[in-house]
Amino acid sequence: MKRVAGTEGAHLIDEDGARILDAISSWWVITHGHRHPAIMEAIRRASETYDQIIFAEYTHAPAEELAAGLIGITPAGLKHVFYSDSGSTAVEVALKMALGFFHNIGAPRSRVCVLEHGYHGDTIGTMSAGERGVFNAAYEPLLFAVDRLPFPEPGREQQTLDTFAASCASGRVAALLIEPLVLGAGGMKIYPPAVLTELKRIAERHGSLFIADEVMTGWGRTGTRFACEQAGLTPDILCTSKGLTGGALPLAATLCTADIFDAHFSADRRRTFFHSSSYTANPIACAAALANLGIWATEAVGTRIEALAAKQRSRLRRFEGDPRFCNIRQAGTIAALDLAVPVGGYLSEVGPRLRTFFRERKLLIRPLGNVIYLMPPYCVTEADLDRAYDAIDEAASAFAAGRL
Ligand SMILES: *Cc1c(COP(=O)(O)O)cnc(C)c1O
């Protein structure tokens, strides 16, 4: 494995000084670009004043200001913020909030609905909710059962809605946990906002909670700051992590409505939301996230996202009707297409070979099996994107000619 000696903008710089285009934003965390000056400056400044501070009995300005900021920019109605450290913990917290809510109002529910092909993290709870397969087969005996809704394939959306309604009719569904608009790790599977709007309506009708796992989709990836905005909905619980600090430091937040908070807020200690983690609301990470909010408030982030989405669209269009590819798709800044192979799926033989092919061309692109996708930081240049698409074109030709 190559050692990375530094990062800059959309690139990793290896120990030989070569610049590698980070076309997947270092696993989807880097939004504006590596080492954005405002974020690095905020980290430097915060570290002169703070290290970790217990987040019980005491609070601190970065956490308070960030909570207020997050409530201000997420869908209206989300009123409270719970901090943790990763996407997985943000989702675990969300599940516990949902079950705690029903427990505390004296009407226990424990069933969780999820979408087929979903991914929510790698802890036991989030693996339970995610797609089952080779990644979690060894842990299967520990995983809990959930209700799985078929993925809303084009033309079959009604089946997803009907399955959800049937599940909810049992009166046992605590929550629908869902990645809005794009299922990331499940293969960049994209579905329309209208499905989300309809699922929310069904959840409301049955008193089930709606948990949006925006760990990947948040912070502009799908074109809007949060994907839920496109469906015009406020989830009961929203999970954010990856892009929260612009990708510079680990931090996560789970936001919830007043109803969920109120069900846990009581002099009766048995109603407490029992979840604590040592590094909750790390002040330096909160300062980095505040700097990220500042970038969104003062820089032309929306314009950059639109330009990136337009560039992805124009390059994808060139592959339209090309028999070497199928399922060409896009959601905002995310572009994906499947290499036409006899046997697809994540374990498709072609995945590792593609990865090597791209690495040799100084491109960090890690296909999910035969699914090739680009999710670059928003500072990426047109020239860099062209280089990535030219390499995809070249890889597909090599594959078709049996040279890959
Ligand atoms: C990455 C991801 C997670 C898990 O986040 P980690 O920080 O890796 O624990 C959860 N949900 C979604 C949708 C993700 O993409």
Side-chain angles (χ1 to χ4, degrees):
M1 261 193 249
K2 263 271 150 79
R3 212 177 257 168
V4 172
T7 61
E8 189 180 4
H11 297 91
L12 309 180
I13 301 156
D14 75 14
E15 52 193 339
D16 305 326
R19 296 175 74 87
I20 297 134
L21 176 65
D22 188 355
I24 59 162
S25 299
S26 279
W27 262 345
W28 321 344
V29 302
I30 302 293
T31 47
H32 312 292
H34 284 278
R35 290 193 304 111
H36 187 292
I39 296 175
M40 301 322 277
E41 174 61 18
I43 292 171
R44 269 192 298 276
R45 289 181 60 135
S47 70
E48 283 167 9
T49 315
Y50 305 109
D51 54 4
Q52 177 63 21
I53 302 165
I54 185 169
F55 205 55
E57 291 185 60
Y58 293 91
T59 176
H60 49 77
E64 287 192 12
E65 286 167 24
L66 178 59
L70 289 173
I71 289 164
I73 56 156
T74 46
L78 293 168
K79 297 286 189 206
H80 299 274
V81 177
F82 192 97
Y83 291 112
S84 62
D85 326 296
S86 73
S88 300
T89 55
V91 175
E92 292 281 354
V93 164
L95 291 173
K96 287 176 67 173
M97 280 180 176
L99 265 74
F101 170 78
F102 288 105
H103 178 267
N104 289 351
I105 64 169
R109 294 186 183 198
S110 60
R111 201 75 185 172
V112 175
C113 280
V114 300
L115 268 195
E116 196 187 312
H117 305 298
Y119 177 81
H120 300 286
D122 273 342
T123 52
I124 296 293
T126 57
M127 275 194 296
S128 300
E131 183 76 3
R132 303 293 171 86
V134 65
F135 317 104
N136 42 43
Y139 325 113
E140 183 77 36
L142 286 186
L143 305 185
F144 56 79
V146 296
D147 288 358
R148 290 177 200 279
L149 316 179
F151 180 81
E153 299 287 356
R156 296 217 303 271
E157 295 89 350
Q158 193 58 43
Q159 202 184 325
T160 308
L161 303 178
D162 291 347
T163 311
F164 184 45
S167 238
C168 284
S170 70
R172 292 163 49 222
V173 173
L176 171 68
L177 167 62
I178 190 166
E179 295 164 86
L181 303 190
V182 186
L183 273 53
M188 297 298 155
K189 293 177 75 74
I190 298 172
Y191 64 94
V195 174
L196 218 49
T197 313
E198 233 11 80
L199 286 168
K200 175 71 166 77
R201 210 167 279 152
I202 296 168
E204 264 171 35
R205 200 180 310 137
H206 293 90
S208 303
L209 300 175
F210 187 101
I211 304 172
D213 178 355
E214 294 242 22
V215 170
M216 185 279 276
T217 51
W219 304 104
R221 292 291 181 201
T222 70
T224 45
R225 182 147 24 189
F226 292 98
C228 281
E229 293 167 29
Q230 293 179 48
L233 68 81
T234 297
D236 298 288
I237 303 175
L238 182 147
C239 309
T240 176
S241 182
K242 291 189 168 110
L244 173 56
T245 60
L249 285 175
L251 183 68
T254 307
L255 286 87
C256 72
T257 60
D259 281 353
I260 294 170
F261 178 86
D262 291 346
H264 289 92
F265 191 73
S266 168
D268 180 353
R269 300 217 26 220
R270 286 169 304 180
R271 285 176 56 175
T272 303
F273 183 64
F274 287 110
H275 191 102
S276 62
S277 59
S278 314
Y279 286 98
T280 292
N282 177 266
I284 301 168
C286 287
L290 268 171
N292 174 40
L293 291 193
I295 292 166
W296 276 88
T298 58
E299 295 187 16
V301 180
T303 312
R304 269 176 232 149
I305 286 173
E306 276 169 35
L308 171 53
K311 179 69 182 171
Q312 297 267 48
R313 201 172 308 120
S314 81
R315 284 302 311 236
L316 278 180
R317 201 174 294 135
R318 293 202 210 165
F319 291 141
E320 235 24 281
D322 187 329
R324 299 174 302 164
F325 299 107
C326 39
N327 298 327
I328 296 173
R329 55 203 185 272
Q330 182 183 3
T333 71
I334 306 169
L337 69 180
D338 303 352
L339 189 66
V341 292
V343 186
Y346 187 87
L347 290 186
S348 169
E349 287 290 301
V350 76
R353 279 183 271 149
L354 283 168
R355 215 192 301 158
T356 307
F357 183 94
F358 293 129
R359 189 169 54 236
E360 287 165 358
R361 284 154 186 78
K362 306 277 180 272
L363 295 164
L364 175 57
I365 301 176
R366 291 173 58 96
L368 300 157
N370 64 320
V371 177
I372 303 173
Y373 72 91
L374 297 178
M375 196 193 294
Y378 308 148
C379 67
V380 71
T381 62
E382 293 211 0
D384 271 331
L385 265 187
D386 278 329
R387 212 161 65 74
Y389 275 97
D390 291 347
I392 292 171
D393 196 351
E394 200 191 331
S397 294
F399 179 73
R403 286 185 282 108
L404 189 105

